[in-house]
Amino acid sequence: WTLADLAVALDAPAVVVTSAGLGTLNTAALTLESMAHRGADLAGLVIGSWPQQPDLACRSNVRDLETLGARPLAGALPEGSGALAPDRFTSIATAGLSPVFGGRFDSIAFRSATD
């Protein structure tokens, strides 16, 4: 089974976690295409490792990821977040995920900050 298969079997929308830099648009597009082919719904796109100093590709990809997903980003977590202690990660995730996922992430403010 793949996670897309599981999402379809459970009739649950899936979160796609992507990187920020070069190559992410291709990977995200292929993932979304595969999900659509299987009939999986998208709950949202989250950048799983946003760099402290994003380069031009990272900043440009924000709008393009929103276009691919046909919706605003559902979050962006700072790079290194996965290595944090659980309580610290919870705090970071709350700030980095959209309200639909229990957080406070503001996609409009994030996008504006990357322009």
Side-chain angles (χ1 to χ4, degrees):
W1 280 51
T2 66
L3 290 177
D5 295 330
L6 181 61
V8 170
L10 295 175
D11 195 27
V15 176
V16 173
V17 179
T18 185
S19 61
L22 287 175
T24 196
L25 297 178
N26 185 58
T27 303
L30 290 172
T31 300
L32 294 171
E33 182 180 314
S34 177
M35 286 176 57
H37 177 73
R38 291 183 166 129
D41 292 324
L42 176 65
L45 276 166
V46 174
I47 296 174
S49 184
W50 185 253
Q52 286 186 353
Q53 296 186 334
D55 61 16
L56 179 60
C58 293
R59 294 189 315 271
S60 298
N61 284 343
V62 170
R63 284 192 185 270
D64 292 334
L65 285 168
E66 290 181 325
T67 299
L68 286 174
R71 67 198 70 212
L73 279 179
L77 301 175
E79 67 184 343
S81 298
L84 297 173
D87 59 329
R88 183 72 179 122
F89 179 80
T90 299
S91 175
I92 294 292
T94 299
L97 295 174
S98 72
V100 74
F101 297 122
R104 298 184 309 270
F105 179 78
D106 181 340
S107 62
I108 295 170
F110 183 78
R111 187 179 338 106
S112 293
T114 63
D115 284 341

